[in-house]
């Protein structure tokens, strides 16, 4: 099985119509149901929702010293909003879960395999 990053992207300035409390509850229930389905299928490894990009801090080394600056690393309207780490037999399997996720969140999804490490 290969691990895949299934990343959810948003665009700054693009806002959706606000959800009612009932719509929000329904959305959470649908996402929880999808995650439970991923877990039952053995695909779910980890997921996380990220704060806005302006909360990021960039760390780099300059003259041998760690230097921090306000983030994000890349100035862009598009930003990483959240992610899933999943396992799938192949890209088609990862795309299945990505398609299900984007249908629920209404945001673009990028699917990228992890680099396979040689066996120790």
């Amino acid at each position: 099985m290969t691990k895949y990053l299934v990343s959810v992207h948003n665009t700054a300035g693009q806002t959706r119509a606000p959800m009612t409390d009932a719509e929000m509850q329904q959305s959470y229930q649908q996402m929880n149901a999808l995650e439970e389905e991923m877990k039952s299928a053995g695909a779910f490894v980890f997921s996380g929702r990220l704060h806005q990009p302006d909360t990021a801090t960039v760390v780099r080394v300059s003259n041998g010293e760690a230097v921090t600056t306000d983030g994000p690393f890349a100035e862009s309207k598009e930003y990483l909003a959240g992610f899933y780490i999943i396992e799938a037999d192949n890209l088609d399997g990862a795309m299945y879960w990505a398609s299900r996720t984007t249908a629920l969140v209404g945001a673009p999804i990028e699917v990228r395999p992890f680099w396979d490490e040689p066996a120790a």
Side-chain angles (χ1 to χ4, degrees):
M1 299 262 279
T2 300
K3 286 186 175 70
Y4 291 89
L5 170 66
V6 177
S7 54
V8 179
H9 297 267
N10 279 347
T11 302
Q14 287 185 349
T15 58
R16 293 185 252 174
M19 292 179 152
T20 65
D21 287 343
E23 291 169 331
M24 187 71 74
Q25 287 301 318
Q26 181 181 16
S27 178
Y28 285 138
Q29 288 173 355
Q30 290 173 326
M31 290 304 299
N32 287 338
L34 178 61
E35 287 185 11
E36 287 304 315
E37 196 175 330
M38 287 180 182
K39 290 174 185 175
S40 294
F44 184 88
V45 176
F46 180 78
S47 71
R49 182 175 176 192
L50 301 173
H51 283 277
Q52 296 296 313
D54 63 355
T55 63
T57 302
V58 178
V59 181
R60 60 176 49 95
V61 172
S62 178
N63 296 323
E65 298 287 329
V67 177
T68 62
T69 56
D70 290 341
F73 175 72
E75 293 291 336
S76 171
K77 290 176 68 175
E78 294 81 20
Y79 62 91
L80 179 63
F83 61 90
Y84 285 89
I85 307 296
I86 65 168
E87 288 185 319
D89 289 333
N90 51 42
L91 181 60
D92 288 342
M95 296 298 289
Y96 170 77
W97 295 113
S99 298
R100 299 275 311 276
T101 303
T102 193
L104 288 179
V105 301
I109 301 282
E110 178 179 287
V111 177
R112 190 182 307 182
F114 278 75
W115 192 272
D116 289 332
E117 295 294 328

